[in-house]
Amino acid sequence: ECNSGSFIRERCSMRNLTPLDIVYASDENYVPILGVSLTSLFENNRETPIAVHILDDRICEKSHEQLARVAERYAQKIEFIPIPDLDKLSGQKIDALRWSKTAFARLYLATLAPQLGKVLYIDCDTMILGDLSPLGKMELPERCSCAAVTECMGDKHKENVGLNSEDPYVNSGVMLIDLDRWREQATEELFSAYIRQCSGRIPYVDQGVINAVLKDQIAELEPKYNVMTVCYDFSYKELQHYRKTFYPYSESSYAQAKKSPIIVHFTTSFLSRRPWINAKQTHPFAEKWREYKNMTPWKDTLLWKDQRTAVKKVYEIFFHAIPRPLAVEISGILHSTFKAKKDARVK
């Protein structure tokens, strides 16, 4: 293992700089995808001092060495922080549904990384294409303990985690977090209480916890810092029609974020395949992701199989076969009614 904290800070103090602490969370399965995100991070932030901390869910020693090699190529180091039993930490057996329980580790960063103050948490399924130093310099409003990009999420889905239609719903894949404020406000205890209240089954898993507990404490980041796949699948007006809600960003900022993203977030979408899936690619940055993959120790690792159900494959064909306005309308009804009701039954 490499301990990046003291090394990075000693190097930065010599240059009178403050490092940007960046946190990822990964299990063994996602290591190659994490490696691509790290490569893109280092490639596009060569002038920014960075300290990387990885919440480590049983990553093997070989993968540790490979990830360390990625960092060393850019004269960087990585700190691995083992993830303990999250059921014990929360006091409740957690059901992560179809997602990895690893994601819940971000809720306990204040405990798992007591040496850290302000951090930028980034999901593995991202590609960093620009300078992150403005986030390192960003001051959070006094009432806020973190900042994130607001997602265009339907009102019915918001209701599932106790939000009103006018409340913003954020995507937790990129979050600037003031861990000192989380400690002062006993935020982790609030997270655990909500998890227990839901008996460990939370709509939208850890993201649902964050939105429910911190709904009045999240500052808004510009959309360019977390451009989700759905933004490339739908136009500005289509997205609001599809999700049946108001989107808080302007049409110009939406367009600019799509054109020149700082962080591309390869979230799931019924209209697109993620770039590590062996299937036809429609995402405009899929090829760029694969270029970065070819720069990593996992360049020869096989792409994942397309495991969509037959129903999902047929629906995508149906979507493109009918007039687009009708396709968006039907998809919006399915998303805001049937899917929202299915998600509500999680609890």
Side-chain angles (χ1 to χ4, degrees):
E1 291 187 8
C2 301
N3 191 318
S4 65
S6 59
F7 175 86
I8 295 295
R9 281 166 178 75
E10 181 180 349
R11 188 175 66 180
C12 290
S13 63
M14 294 172 63
R15 299 169 59 191
N16 197 28
L17 297 171
T18 301
L20 174 59
D21 287 300
I22 294 181
V23 178
Y24 286 90
S26 181
D27 57 17
E28 179 64 27
N29 191 45
Y30 259 77
V31 162
I33 295 163
L34 167 60
V36 177
S37 186
L38 283 172
T39 299
S40 67
L41 166 68
F42 294 139
E43 278 286 327
N44 294 295
N45 287 270
R46 291 176 179 268
E47 301 303 316
T48 301
I50 292 172
V52 174
H53 315 268
I54 297 176
L55 298 177
D56 176 356
D57 187 2
R58 294 165 294 179
I59 297 173
C60 75
E61 189 58 35
K62 179 181 177 182
S63 294
H64 279 185
E65 293 170 358
Q66 290 173 314
L67 289 168
R69 206 154 61 238
V70 170
E72 287 166 3
R73 178 180 176 185
Y74 299 91
Q76 304 281 4
K77 288 194 176 184
I78 291 173
E79 175 187 21
F80 293 96
I81 303 173
I83 297 175
D85 187 328
L86 293 171
D87 294 343
K88 289 183 179 179
L89 207 55
S90 65
Q92 171 69 54
K93 184 174 176 57
I94 297 172
D95 184 350
L97 307 172
R98 64 189 180 93
W99 307 102
S100 170
K101 192 183 289 188
T102 308
F104 281 86
R106 82 189 74 182
L107 303 179
Y108 298 97
L109 260 172
T111 292
L112 299 180
Q115 77 280 19
L116 299 182
K118 187 170 68 174
V119 304
L120 178 63
Y121 175 88
I122 305 178
D123 272 350
C124 295
D125 56 349
T126 56
M127 181 171 63
I128 292 81
L129 296 177
D131 180 16
L132 296 182
S133 62
L135 293 181
K137 300 171 185 175
M138 179 180 174
E139 293 295 329
L140 293 173
E142 189 173 338
R143 67 175 180 83
C144 296
S145 62
C146 57
V149 171
T150 300
E151 186 170 348
C152 189
M153 183 59 77
D155 295 343
K156 294 293 184 181
H157 291 76
K158 291 181 183 180
E159 289 178 15
N160 288 337
V161 290
L163 299 181
N164 298 316
S165 59
E166 65 272 15
D167 291 327
Y169 178 98
V170 302
N171 183 279
S172 62
V174 178
M175 293 185 69
L176 185 67
I177 307 170
D178 187 331
L179 292 178
D180 288 330
R181 292 187 187 179
W182 276 17
R183 296 181 187 105
E184 292 166 3
Q185 298 165 9
T187 300
E188 289 184 2
E189 294 178 18
L190 299 177
F191 288 153
S192 294
Y194 185 77
I195 291 171
R196 292 193 295 270
Q197 177 186 326
C198 297
S199 300
R201 288 173 59 85
I202 304 100
Y204 325 119
V205 287
D206 63 291
Q207 187 165 275
V209 178
I210 289 168
N211 277 281
V213 174
L214 299 179
K215 63 179 181 180
D216 298 319
Q217 300 177 42
I218 306 176
E220 189 176 82
L221 290 180
E222 296 177 62
K224 65 182 179 180
Y225 288 112
N226 187 353
V227 187
M228 290 155 264
T229 300
V230 70
C231 298
Y232 290 105
D233 287 340
F234 294 94
S235 70
Y236 181 75
K237 292 180 180 178
E238 284 177 341
L239 181 58
Q240 295 178 84
H241 197 56
Y242 168 51
R243 289 288 174 87
K244 307 297 183 188
T245 192
F246 170 72
Y247 190 51
Y249 299 108
S250 68
E251 188 167 4
S252 60
S253 65
Y254 180 81
Q256 185 60 32
K258 289 170 63 174
K259 180 181 178 182
S260 303
I262 301 297
I263 301 178
V264 176
H265 192 180
F266 294 104
T267 49
T268 56
S269 171
F270 74 94
L271 289 176
S272 297
R273 308 288 77 74
R274 299 162 108 180
W276 51 90
I277 303 297
N278 187 14
K280 180 182 178 182
Q281 294 294 319
T282 57
H283 196 294
F285 287 95
E287 187 57 37
K288 187 67 176 177
W289 186 92
R290 293 184 177 182
E291 288 178 15
Y292 283 121
K293 178 178 181 289
N294 288 333
M295 298 169 63
T296 74
W298 300 274
K299 63 181 180 180
D300 296 323
T301 301
L302 295 177
L303 298 174
W304 295 10
K305 291 182 180 180
D306 184 357
Q307 296 184 327
R308 285 177 300 157
T309 64
V311 171
K312 289 184 177 181
K313 291 179 180 179
V314 169
Y315 185 77
E316 183 179 357
I317 294 171
F318 169 76
F319 181 94
H320 292 296
I322 64 176
R324 188 167 177 94
L326 178 60
V328 174
E329 175 65 23
I330 293 173
S331 298
I333 292 172
L334 292 174
H335 188 269
S336 64
T337 55
F338 294 106
K339 189 176 187 305
K341 287 181 180 178
K342 178 183 176 183
D343 294 339
R345 290 196 296 270
V346 165
K347 294 199 295 184

